[in-house]
Every structure is written in structure tokens, then in C-alpha cells.
Amino acid sequence: MTHRVHNFCAGPCTLPASVLEEVRAELLDFEGSGMSLVELSHRSDEYDRVHHDAIASFRNVFGVPDDRSVLFLQGGATLQFGMVPINLLRAGERAAYVRSGTWGVAAERDAAPYGDVYAAWDGKPLGYTRMPTSTELEIGPGTRYLHVTSNETIEGIRLASFPDAQVPLVADMSSDYVSRRVPWERFDLVYGGAQKNLGPAGLAIVVVRSELLEGNKPEAMTYLRYDLHAAKDSLMNTPPMFAIYVMGKVLAWIEKLGGVDAMEERARRRSGLVYDAIGSSGGFYRSPVEPADRSLMNVVFRMPTDDLEDEFLKGAEAEGLVNLRGHRSVGGIRASIYNAMTDEGVDALVGFMAAFRDANG
Ligand SMILES: Cc1ncc(COP(=O)(O)O)c(C=O)c1O
């Protein structure tokens, strides 16, 4: 039997074993071509099918309306921090950013060279332990969009509902992509990397209102222009073929399990088990996050001392529970429970947490 651990990494992360097995089965000879998919031309009929099927599946599974373009790009979510203002902001317009945590701050910082950006709300004084309410947002005149991070991967907080702003929303959904429904009518654009809920690294998926691209020719090199990618169905240059191929399989797997609603139900149930283990530990485990804004994907918690946390991580690893260390900027423990995490993995973690508290509490 192949050795598989329970991988709680924040990304890249665990993928469904059935998908990996399919990839293995097709690796040397993709659909009778005598080549692997990664050896095929991106202009071949075989790849063309994989590519367009993946776009169709993404639309279908995520409920993307017909008036949106779905783009497959490289450069991760990080490149989108710059591409969003380059493509959406015109002279005289401003963009508001929610500084909800590490990634919201990074998005604003990378947008700043390309437009007049400002903070609509800053969670830093609160240590990024909660998201803002709609009424706390300060949105000034001339604001083209409000940028939010739907789930802050490092601090473990999420927007339980998207804000009611008087301006279109743009969201970085990297760490809860395709695990919750999106009220599309309020959004001009959402983006995120694939490497958490959807597949391997190397692919970012952008969903943008198509009418925004018509006649909009930003002054930027070709790769940075959404309109050019959209006109060529994300085949303007060589796309990240392997990541797109694997994502297509992950999307089929999500669909088989019941789609986005099933992913959200799973996420609530499974993160709930870990939050319950924290809440019932008599203070041994402690969540720094406001209960209403706790992430369903990245459960962060602290323990009485750094030494105990180190011991916890060592003991967990010995049980095959790996990559539980919190981000180096915040410390503590972080269990990332993305779409592909198994129920067995979560049960094993909760069991280990109880045993460790009993032994050390
Ligand atoms: C919410 C969020 N945004 C952006 C990023 C950066 O993504 P990438 O590494 O794909 O550029 C990450 C990475 O973890 C993330 O979690």
C-alpha cells in the first residue's frame, strides 16, 4: 500500500487520492496519444479538449454566470494583486482595500503603483482577529471597487458574508475558492490560486464581468491584459497545462460529491469538529479569532506555551498528521482543511488533540 499522510498544509496541499491515481494511470499515454499530457502541444486537439472542459467545469461547478469570462493565468494570486488595478482602474478612479490580514495588506501594497488605493478598513489594531462589518467600511467618492480577501489564510479569519458596499466588489478567494457560493451580481471580479481547493500550483483562475473587457485596452504588456486572455480563451500563450488538467479532475470530483454546497457543508462540519475540540479543552487550546469570523478552511489555535506547541507538532507528525505549524509570521498551530482533506484526517486530528490535552493539560 502507498504511504499517505494527513497533510494539513496551507497550500500547495492535499489532493483527492482518486484524482492522483487517475493522473498516474494516464501519465505515460494520455488518451492513446503515446505521450503524457505534459508532453503534448498546447495547440493539440487532446489538450484543447482538456482546456475547454476545465473552463466549462469551473463555470458549472462554481455557478459562474454567462456574462463572466473565466481566465486561466500564471503568476499565482500574487500577479492578480497588480493585474486587477491595471485592468480595472481608469484615470481619476480610486480603489478601496480591506486590510483584513497578511493577504489583504499584500493586495493593497501591490496595487498601489497602479492607482489611487486606500484602506476602507484596517484590522491591524485588532491583530487581524476579525473581519469588518459592512457599516465599518469607509468608502470614499470616486471608488471604482472594494477589494476583499474572503479568507485570510494565515490569520484564519473569513468573511462570513460578503459586504454590502455601494461599489462593485473584487475578491481574492485563494483559500476558500469553490467552497462557498458567490453572490455574483455584487462582484466585478474574483480571483485565486488553484493550489488549495482546486489543484496543483501554477494556475490562477480569474472570473471577470465580460463587459468590463470590451473596448478596455490597458496600457500594459500583453500578458497583463485580461481582454487579450479572454479573446483567446486563455490560450494566448502556453497555459499551465498540467495544473489545468488536474484541476479539471478535481472539479469532476467536487461535482460528484455534490458541488459547492456539499463543499461548504463539509467545511462547516469538519472545521466545527476542530473548533469544538478547541472550545471543550478547558482553555488548553485557544482560538485567537472572533467566533463569527472563524475560517472554515484554516483553523488556527494556540497552546499554553511554545514548547508545548513544538511537542504537539512532533507528536502529530509521528501520527501522520503533518504540516500543522502556523505561518512563521504568527506562530501557533494551523490546520488547513481544504476541499480534498479526508474526514479520516480531521477525525485523526481531533483524536490527537484530545489525547495530547489529556496527557499535558
Ligand atoms: C488568500 C491568499 N492570497 C494570495 C496568496 C498568494 O498566492 P500565490 O502564492 O498563488 O501568489 C495566498 C497564498 O497562500 C493566499 O492564501
Side-chain angles (χ1 to χ4, degrees):
M1 269 242 330
T2 311
H3 168 65
R4 297 272 297 166
V5 293
H6 299 299
N7 178 8
F8 291 90
C9 190
C13 60
T14 192
L15 289 175
S18 62
V19 166
L20 298 176
E21 274 162 9
E22 275 179 50
V23 170
R24 178 167 65 179
E26 292 175 352
L27 196 60
L28 287 179
D29 178 9
F30 182 75
E31 292 186 351
S33 63
M35 289 178 247
S36 68
L37 180 117
V38 284
E39 296 166 297
L40 283 166
S41 163
H42 63 297
R43 307 288 176 202
S44 63
D45 289 344
E46 290 92 342
Y47 179 70
D48 201 66
R49 262 197 312 279
V50 166
H51 189 89
H52 286 96
D53 284 354
I55 295 175
S57 294
F58 186 88
R59 284 184 167 285
N60 182 36
V61 172
F62 204 24
V64 177
D66 290 343
D67 63 353
R68 310 295 157 123
S69 301
V70 171
L71 310 178
F72 291 165
L73 303 176
Q74 303 195 44
T78 301
L79 187 61
Q80 296 314 309
F81 295 164
M83 279 180 76
V84 166
I86 286 171
N87 284 272
L88 297 193
L89 275 188
R90 311 255 175 108
E93 292 177 339
R94 310 165 71 202
Y97 279 72
V98 175
R99 292 183 188 159
S100 45
T102 305
W103 294 112
V105 168
E108 182 189 351
R109 184 193 59 223
D110 276 356
Y114 305 105
D116 181 1
V117 304
Y118 68 95
W121 185 79
D122 189 356
K124 189 174 181 185
L126 303 166
Y128 303 124
T129 50
R130 71 167 177 89
M131 287 286 187
T133 61
S134 294
T135 52
E136 287 176 307
L137 297 171
E138 291 182 17
I139 298 175
T143 298
R144 170 68 185 79
Y145 63 80
L146 171 70
H147 181 283
V148 297
T149 307
S150 53
N151 184 76
E152 284 284 359
T153 322
I154 292 175
E155 291 82 4
I157 57 176
R158 79 162 200 145
L159 277 168
S161 58
F162 291 104
D164 283 316
Q166 301 307 310
V167 296
L169 298 180
V170 168
D172 173 2
M173 295 196 73
S174 291
S175 50
D176 61 358
Y177 230 2
V178 192
S179 73
R180 65 191 296 182
R181 283 183 179 272
V182 172
W184 292 106
E185 67 287 352
R186 282 147 71 185
F187 281 87
D188 269 2
L189 188 146
V190 307
Y191 65 90
Q195 70 271 20
K196 301 171 197 298
N197 269 340
L198 291 170
L203 168 65
I205 309 101
V206 174
V207 184
V208 55
R209 202 183 279 278
S210 304
E211 67 179 19
L212 297 175
L213 309 182
E214 287 156 20
N216 180 14
K217 299 181 174 33
E219 272 186 42
M221 59 172 288
T222 54
Y223 196 86
L224 300 183
R225 286 176 49 179
Y226 292 139
D227 61 318
L228 299 179
H229 288 291
K232 299 283 187 200
D233 276 345
S234 305
L235 282 161
M236 179 172 72
N237 72 327
T238 315
M241 296 163 64
F242 184 72
I244 291 168
Y245 156 73
V246 178
M247 181 179 74
K249 291 185 182 300
V250 174
L251 287 164
W253 174 87
I254 291 174
E255 198 170 9
K256 212 164 80 190
L257 288 189
V260 175
D261 290 339
M263 291 303 112
E264 179 159 4
E265 186 280 322
R266 260 159 82 86
R268 272 187 202 291
R269 177 170 51 80
R270 291 148 20 129
S271 61
L273 292 172
V274 185
Y275 288 121
D276 284 350
I278 295 168
S280 63
S281 70
F284 184 73
Y285 301 114
R286 187 172 43 80
S287 164
V289 174
E290 289 284 328
D293 293 341
R294 286 178 181 170
S295 172
L296 308 187
M297 295 279 138
N298 312 99
V299 180
V300 299
F301 57 93
R302 300 302 310 240
M303 293 168 54
T305 65
D306 290 356
D307 285 349
L308 269 177
E309 288 175 352
D310 284 345
E311 241 179 82
F312 178 94
L313 291 166
K314 229 186 289 160
E317 196 159 334
E319 304 274 324
L321 305 162
V322 308
N323 289 325
L324 281 161
R325 190 180 284 285
H327 191 268
R328 60 191 175 282
S329 61
V330 293
I333 313 291
R334 171 174 57 174
S336 295
I337 306 170
Y338 294 123
N339 286 346
M341 172 52 66
T342 58
D343 284 353
E344 293 73 33
V346 177
D347 290 344
L349 172 63
V350 168
F352 177 75
M353 286 172 72
F356 190 82
R357 188 213 49 203
D358 287 348
N360 296 280

